[in-house]
Amino acid sequence: MQDDREVIAEVLQGNKEAYALIVNKYKGKIASILQRTLHHSHDAEDMVQEVFIKAYYSLPDYKPNCSFSAWLYRIAINRGIDELRKRKRMPSVTEMDVEVRDECPIPEEDYLEKEQRHALRQQMMALDKNHRTILALHYLQHLSYREIGNKLSLSVDTVRMRLSYARKKLRDQLSKPEKKGGTPL
């Protein structure tokens, strides 16, 4: 098997097919790095291709006196870190939709239920973004702790703790009397 530097020299001289040797040699290790970085995400497979594309276009910047594998692994690790950062940007929860369960509600019950949903929505929007998001993912999108953890790149224990804290904050807010002389909810 050819030395990496020789293969890279061929690629830089215009032999694009030689790059397949690099891909075949390192694709398993790159996939492994991305799987570990992204906690066994399905996206890792697509990102392997992205890493090799980025490395291909960056080959002119590669310094032959450095280890090619270390250079390539650094590209993979940086791509994984970028993806984790992107995932940390949590989805914004601006509207809370709650399904009406009864087909023919009594008008008074329907009005009270709408008022309660409105009050709950207002109180949820008063929570900070992290707690509002975790409540919405669990109660409105019906995601499990594990699914929420995967979506937000958090451990199951962290999801459990934040959800518990968010419930407590929401309960505390709902138990406080409304301002302007209103009655408690």
Side-chain angles (χ1 to χ4, degrees):
M1 182 171 243
Q2 285 181 303
D3 179 64
D4 291 342
R5 291 182 187 131
E6 293 171 10
V7 175
I8 292 165
E10 283 185 44
V11 173
L12 291 173
Q13 291 171 2
N15 183 0
K16 295 178 183 177
E17 288 79 29
Y19 194 64
L21 295 171
I22 296 289
V23 172
N24 289 332
K25 181 176 180 181
Y26 290 105
K27 67 183 173 189
K29 181 67 174 169
I30 298 299
S32 176
I33 288 170
L34 289 169
Q35 284 285 340
R36 281 193 315 268
T37 304
L38 300 172
H39 310 292
H40 303 286
S41 170
H42 301 292
D43 300 332
E45 294 171 21
D46 293 335
M47 282 185 242
V48 170
Q49 290 180 332
E50 292 174 24
V51 167
F52 282 110
I53 291 169
K54 175 148 177 78
Y56 178 81
Y57 287 109
S58 300
L59 276 178
D61 299 330
Y62 167 68
K63 309 277 188 277
N65 58 338
C66 298
S67 165
F68 177 74
S69 59
W71 180 78
L72 186 60
Y73 299 157
R74 176 51 39 201
I75 291 173
I77 291 167
N78 287 342
R79 179 61 185 99
I81 291 169
D82 288 345
E83 180 64 21
L84 288 175
R85 283 186 187 134
K86 183 174 124 186
R87 290 179 185 179
K88 291 253 185 209
R89 290 185 220 122
M90 291 184 238
S92 171
V93 181
T94 56
E95 277 192 44
M96 308 289 176
D97 294 325
V98 179
E99 297 175 29
V100 176
R101 288 175 227 113
D102 196 6
E103 291 178 24
C104 300
I106 299 170
E108 294 83 15
E109 289 177 355
D110 188 37
Y111 175 77
L112 289 173
E113 190 173 311
K114 283 181 183 177
E115 285 295 311
Q116 288 172 338
R117 280 195 311 256
H118 178 72
L120 180 61
R121 190 176 301 125
Q122 282 183 317
Q123 295 300 325
M124 283 182 73
M125 294 308 289
L127 293 173
D128 66 84
K129 187 177 181 181
N130 291 334
H131 294 112
R132 182 173 65 236
T133 300
I134 213 153
L135 283 170
L137 290 173
H138 187 68
Y139 289 105
L140 299 178
Q141 293 185 17
H142 308 290
L143 298 182
S144 69
Y145 291 166
R146 179 162 297 183
E147 291 168 326
I148 294 169
N150 289 338
K151 191 169 195 143
L152 302 178
S153 299
L154 300 170
S155 71
V156 172
D157 289 336
T158 302
V159 169
R160 188 176 288 119
M161 181 184 68
R162 286 188 185 175
L163 190 56
S164 174
Y165 185 77
R167 285 184 197 124
K168 181 184 180 321
K169 293 277 286 186
L170 190 57
R171 262 193 312 270
D172 292 345
Q173 285 181 353
L174 290 171
S175 67
K176 290 180 186 174
E178 285 186 20
K179 291 182 181 174
K180 300 181 189 172
T183 58
L185 296 174

